[in-house]
Amino acid sequence: MSRSPLAADPARSRGREFPGTSDETRGPRSAFQRDRDRIIHSIAFRRLRSKTQVFVAPEGDHYRTRLTHSLEVAQIGRVIARALGLDEDLTEALCLAHDIGHPPFGHAGEDALDNALTEHGGFDHNAQTLRTLMRLESPYCTHEGLNLSWEVLEGLAKHNGPVEAPHWALAELDAAFPLDLGTWPSLEAQVAAVADDIAYDNHDIDDGLRAGFLELDDLLTLDFIADQWREVERRFPHAPRDRQLRELVRGQIGWMVNDVLAHTRASTKGIEDRAQIAVSDRALAGFSPAMHAAERRLKAFMYAKLYYHPEQTATAEKANTVIVQLWDAYCEDPSRMGSRWADSLPAEEPHRSRHIADYIAGMSDQYALERVREFFGDAPGDLSNV
């Protein structure tokens, strides 16, 4: 596939926050390849293996975590980027890093930290991704953070499009290294965002069916899924049901990817340079209007049937309690965080509370549960709902 003139060019990157710090002797890699590798080698990325995707602290090892989800997003993103002639390395880096700011227990943990920081600016997982990569994850001797390229940081900051009212964490980082928050990001960033939607829409169906929280008959009330299912039955009438269901998920992904390719090619027709992407009045890479409407219906279904399933809600409440208990424990006795974090605890608010939130946000699900058991003797009920 030839390279599109709209692809981000690592040789023309807008640079890094801390210039002059790259060690070019460590292999012949482009700026975006270095970014991807820094992300993969980070502690924050490794911790994703034990962070909730849909199911909190699952007992089964077949369910997705934030790590496996991020890998699946990267696979879908690379396919789309390659077909469109975009920079695959930038796309992959964005896909791999997009969930690094999630605290333990997913959105339940995020809600708990947001409430704890009500008087200190709140908590936002997307802003926390930037905060982690730019300030907290610091393996280098010469600067804070991973010192990723501007294009990676911009794409992560604008994962959901232009940002008109940045969260305090993002505002602080933008002041230090401006990311043009009011404009659209690169096509690679837009591809990473839609790859995220494709991955979790369809892989959450897979996990929901496997766990018994979703029923096929309910899914087939969505006409576009029913169409896919009829095609699966036509092609593989004698296959076992579990294989047919996995074929259904694969078919859904392919259907969505092909729609993104067709719509993006049509949307970018007549766009001659990357500067036009930034000032567009809409995303140029993404679903067609018809697919967008279908995907909204699917999301509404998933919220009703899976994400807000009574068992999921009950587990989320217990997870919320774990974070509240940890918050209270560390506020009461910061030494429980260990010397490195306790010794660097700011004396004044809001920095003090934000420091504690940084510590909790970095935890895996299991580490958070272990600390609650250590401090209080037990966790609030069984948190495994599968």
Side-chain angles (χ1 to χ4, degrees):
M1 183 70 190
S2 61
R3 187 176 180 85
S4 168
L6 301 181
D9 183 354
R12 300 176 64 186
S13 169
R14 290 174 60 169
R16 304 180 187 276
E17 182 180 7
F18 305 102
T21 57
S22 295
D23 187 343
E24 301 300 333
T25 66
R26 294 176 181 167
R29 296 171 293 168
S30 75
F32 301 152
Q33 288 172 331
R34 291 177 185 278
D35 292 334
R36 176 203 57 208
D37 296 348
R38 290 178 186 190
I39 291 163
I40 289 175
H41 287 277
S42 70
I43 293 173
F45 182 71
R46 293 199 292 274
R47 284 197 299 255
L48 295 178
R49 72 174 183 260
S50 298
K51 289 198 175 190
T52 294
Q53 175 60 21
V54 174
F55 299 114
V56 172
E59 292 180 350
D61 57 7
H62 293 176
Y63 298 99
R64 287 166 175 86
T65 64
R66 289 284 168 192
L67 178 61
T68 59
H69 165 69
S70 297
L71 294 172
E72 290 168 339
V73 174
Q75 179 269 320
I76 294 170
R78 284 197 311 268
V79 167
I80 296 173
R82 183 179 302 129
L84 294 173
L86 302 177
D87 191 283
E88 290 182 50
D89 300 312
L90 174 57
T91 305
E92 184 178 21
L94 291 163
C95 292
L96 292 172
H98 79 281
D99 268 352
I100 274 179
H102 269 283
F105 313 125
H107 292 291
E110 180 170 11
D111 290 343
L113 285 178
D114 192 39
N115 288 333
L117 289 174
T118 296
E119 297 181 0
H120 306 295
F123 182 90
D124 173 76
H125 78 266
N126 198 56
Q128 190 70 15
T129 292
L130 274 292
R131 185 168 167 83
T132 300
L133 296 173
M134 294 178 71
R135 294 294 180 265
L136 302 179
E137 179 81 20
S138 297
Y140 298 102
C141 298
T142 54
H143 56 76
E144 290 183 313
L146 296 183
N147 201 27
L148 302 177
S149 67
W150 186 92
E151 289 76 11
V152 170
L153 298 175
E154 181 223 20
L156 292 171
K158 305 174 190 175
H159 185 67
N160 299 312
V163 182
E164 295 182 0
H167 181 265
W168 68 264
L170 183 54
E172 284 187 355
L173 297 168
D174 180 62
F177 191 47
L179 297 171
D180 296 352
L181 295 179
T183 62
W184 284 96
S186 64
L187 288 181
E188 286 84 357
Q190 296 179 36
V191 165
V194 75
D196 183 27
D197 286 336
I198 293 171
Y200 79 71
D201 281 345
N202 294 291
H203 293 145
D204 288 0
I205 288 176
D206 187 25
D207 281 355
L209 288 168
R210 188 186 306 276
F213 283 22
L214 296 179
E215 298 292 338
L216 178 60
D217 287 345
D218 290 336
L219 274 169
L220 297 182
T221 61
L222 298 171
D223 53 359
F224 49 91
I225 293 184
D227 290 342
Q228 294 283 341
W229 180 247
R230 284 192 290 268
E231 180 63 13
V232 170
E233 289 188 310
R234 184 190 69 78
R235 294 177 60 203
F236 309 104
H238 304 300
R241 175 57 62 88
D242 65 323
R243 298 188 188 183
Q244 290 179 324
L245 291 173
R246 294 179 75 177
E247 183 64 29
L248 171 66
V249 172
R250 284 194 293 273
Q252 284 280 120
I253 292 172
W255 176 54
M256 288 184 169
V257 166
N258 287 331
D259 178 86
V260 169
L261 292 175
H263 179 67
T264 303
R265 287 172 178 141
S267 294
T268 55
K269 191 173 183 179
I271 302 293
E272 298 179 353
D273 61 57
R274 293 188 297 275
Q276 292 176 266
I277 298 169
V279 298
S280 175
D281 59 357
R282 68 191 189 286
L284 297 176
F287 294 129
S288 67
M291 181 63 77
H292 179 74
E295 197 262 347
R296 292 293 97 186
R297 289 174 58 201
L298 175 57
K299 272 195 170 62
F301 172 90
M302 295 294 283
Y303 273 97
K305 297 293 185 177
L306 178 60
Y307 307 137
Y308 292 157
H309 186 284
E311 288 188 41
Q312 288 278 75
T313 301
T315 302
E317 290 174 355
K318 295 174 184 176
N320 188 290
T321 299
V322 168
I323 299 300
V324 170
Q325 288 181 310
L326 289 174
W327 175 264
D328 291 342
Y330 293 129
C331 286
E332 178 184 342
D333 182 4
S335 68
R336 286 169 161 165
M337 293 189 292
S339 59
R340 185 170 75 87
W341 281 84
D343 292 348
S344 58
L345 180 67
E348 303 297 330
E349 297 289 6
H351 306 292
R352 181 182 179 87
S353 290
R354 292 172 180 177
H355 184 84
I356 293 171
D358 286 337
Y359 182 72
I360 295 173
M363 293 180 175
S364 67
D365 293 11
Q366 290 300 330
Y367 188 82
L369 290 171
E370 289 169 5
R371 298 289 72 73
V372 166
R373 294 187 183 107
E374 175 188 347
F375 300 154
F376 303 103
D378 198 8
D382 181 15
L383 278 176
S384 177
N385 54 3
V386 294

